[in-house]
Amino acid sequence: MASNFKIFPFETSDSLHLKLDGDFDGNSAHELLNTLKKYGGGFYQIFIDTEDLKTIHPFGKKVLHKKLGALKKQFYDIIFVGRNFHEIAVD
């Protein structure tokens, strides 16, 4: 994990919000995936806020895209938001 990467989670009544901060690399992608597995069940929507990502490493993006494709089926709706959403969002 990038030494400065952090995930700040908070919940609303039916949504989980994950605010990402720092540099996003392969280990950061795994941390995000593990957080989704651990806390994402039971929420109608999951928002992943990319606003405070400093650097998005290509390998981190590749790991996320590869692993989240299968995992996405477990969740109703994952929405990427923030100024970097277009760089990291998974279709």
Side-chain angles (χ1 to χ4, degrees), residues 2-19:
S3 63
N4 67 344
F5 180 76
K6 293 185 173 98
I7 300 175
F8 299 98
F10 68 94
E11 302 174 12
T12 60
S13 60
D14 59 355
S15 298
L16 175 65
H17 299 258
L18 302 174
K19 185 169 183 60

Side-chain angles (χ1 to χ4, degrees), residues 6-89:
K6 293 185 173 98
I7 300 175
F8 299 98
F10 68 94
E11 302 174 12
T12 60
S13 60
D14 59 355
S15 298
L16 175 65
H17 299 258
L18 302 174
K19 185 169 183 60
L20 309 182
D21 184 64
D23 296 325
F24 191 81
D25 62 8
N27 288 331
S28 303
H30 282 288
E31 183 178 345
L32 175 57
L33 292 162
N34 289 335
T35 300
L36 284 169
K37 288 177 194 175
K38 187 173 181 177
Y39 299 108
F43 288 101
Y44 181 72
Q45 293 178 314
I46 300 171
F47 293 92
I48 300 175
D49 186 352
T50 66
E51 183 69 27
D52 294 329
L53 289 177
K54 311 297 185 263
T55 304
I56 299 171
H57 298 278
F59 184 68
K61 182 177 175 177
K62 184 176 180 178
V63 169
L64 181 65
H65 284 214
K66 183 177 181 181
K67 304 270 184 174
L68 189 59
L71 187 62
K72 244 180 131 172
K73 297 173 187 169
Q74 297 178 20
F75 305 111
Y76 183 76
D77 199 11
I78 297 177
I79 302 163
F80 289 85
V81 298
R83 67 181 165 90
N84 294 303
F85 85 93
H86 62 281
E87 291 186 46
I88 198 171

